[in-house]
Amino acid sequence: MLDEDGLPKIIQTLPEANPWPHITKVGLLTHQTHHRGPARRFWNLKKGLEAYGVEVVQKPSLRGEYPSACLQTIVGMESLNPKTTMFGPNVASYPTEFPSSFLSSGQHHFILQSKWVVDMFSNFIDEDKLYICPVGVDHDAWFPADSSACITTDCFIYFKNRPRQDLDNVRRILKDLKLSYKVIDYGSYHENELLNTCRSCRFAILLTNTET
């Protein structure tokens, strides 16, 4: 769905009632629930489903009595029933990384992060088998600061997969502007540090690059 500017519509607030009342149980399949982005996707999706009264289990339905999402690569993934299981987004970065049977069966459905990824995957897989599902945000934990009194720093730089020279250039510009800053380096911080930094800075500079 597109808005009047031709941009994808984003649901800002979930409906109060379960929009899928016929679904009371869902399997979320992962090989780990503690490592950075993939773990955050699992926990946020689990919390969102449970808020609707949906039971979340970490095992597939052997007889197809409830739908499952294989969020990450797991042992035995190829034996899962494609009629009741969706795959992704942390299973493969490129379509060719999926088992060949996934691409040839015509029955598998895939969860992807964005329209850009869908466009890439659609060169290998029918687009009606591709679904966009960005990571949900836990609004109970992540929300704007109540007061500017907690602001201690002008900005923070989120630095990920870019040449160090780019970071040095941004540092120099901020210094010339006499702006205080902090650097959050991808892969070397705890989530609470990022949360506290967001609440204590006026703005952020995202100096990032894709992982793939």
Side-chain angles (χ1 to χ4, degrees):
M1 296 177 64
L2 303 179
D3 62 18
E4 60 272 15
D5 298 317
L7 299 174
K9 287 187 176 180
I10 299 175
I11 298 175
Q12 300 292 348
T13 305
L14 290 173
E16 292 186 6
N18 184 353
W20 315 282
H22 60 290
I23 298 178
T24 58
K25 186 175 183 178
V26 167
L28 296 183
L29 314 179
T30 67
H31 71 264
Q32 61 87 14
T33 58
H34 60 275
H35 186 64
R36 297 205 292 261
R40 178 49 53 203
R41 177 180 291 276
F42 167 80
W43 289 111
N44 285 4
L45 183 54
K46 181 176 185 292
K47 182 174 182 177
L49 289 168
E50 289 178 341
Y52 285 132
V54 177
E55 179 186 359
V56 175
V57 296
Q58 287 184 257
K59 58 183 180 180
S61 168
L62 299 179
R63 293 182 295 275
E65 60 268 33
Y66 57 84
S68 299
C70 184
L71 302 178
Q72 305 166 16
T73 302
I74 63 172
V75 175
M77 182 176 68
E78 293 182 59
S79 64
L80 296 173
N81 186 348
K83 294 182 179 180
T84 57
T85 306
M86 299 181 72
F87 298 86
N90 299 117
V91 173
S93 298
Y94 300 99
T96 51
E97 293 176 353
F98 280 109
S100 58
S101 59
F102 281 35
L103 304 181
S104 61
S105 73
Q107 296 182 335
H108 290 75
H109 292 74
F110 303 90
I111 303 170
L112 303 174
Q113 301 93 325
S114 66
K115 179 66 166 59
W116 185 94
V117 184
V118 167
D119 289 344
M120 177 180 65
F121 271 62
S122 64
N123 292 312
F124 300 83
I125 302 168
D126 291 341
E127 195 162 343
D128 62 356
K129 302 288 194 303
L130 307 176
Y131 302 85
I132 300 174
C133 182
V135 177
V137 176
D138 182 358
H139 288 181
D140 292 336
W142 295 82
F143 54 86
D146 295 331
S147 170
S148 60
C150 63
I151 301 298
T152 60
T153 308
D154 288 313
C155 81
F156 74 91
I157 307 167
Y158 189 87
F159 182 66
K160 174 181 179 179
N161 293 353
R162 290 284 288 267
R164 210 72 193 179
Q165 182 181 354
D166 290 354
L167 178 59
D168 293 339
N169 289 338
V170 173
R171 286 178 184 267
R172 177 175 46 78
I173 292 170
L174 292 173
K175 184 177 180 180
D176 291 343
L177 293 172
K178 295 181 170 53
L179 294 174
S180 58
Y181 66 89
K182 177 179 180 179
V183 177
I184 294 288
D185 207 332
Y186 171 73
S188 62
Y189 66 89
H190 293 289
E191 188 175 277
N192 283 340
E193 179 186 358
L194 176 60
L195 178 58
N196 293 332
T197 298
C198 287
R199 292 178 176 171
S200 62
C201 294
R202 291 172 50 220
F203 65 94
I205 296 174
L206 305 182
L207 188 59
T208 66
N209 206 343
T210 176
E211 294 181 25
T212 54

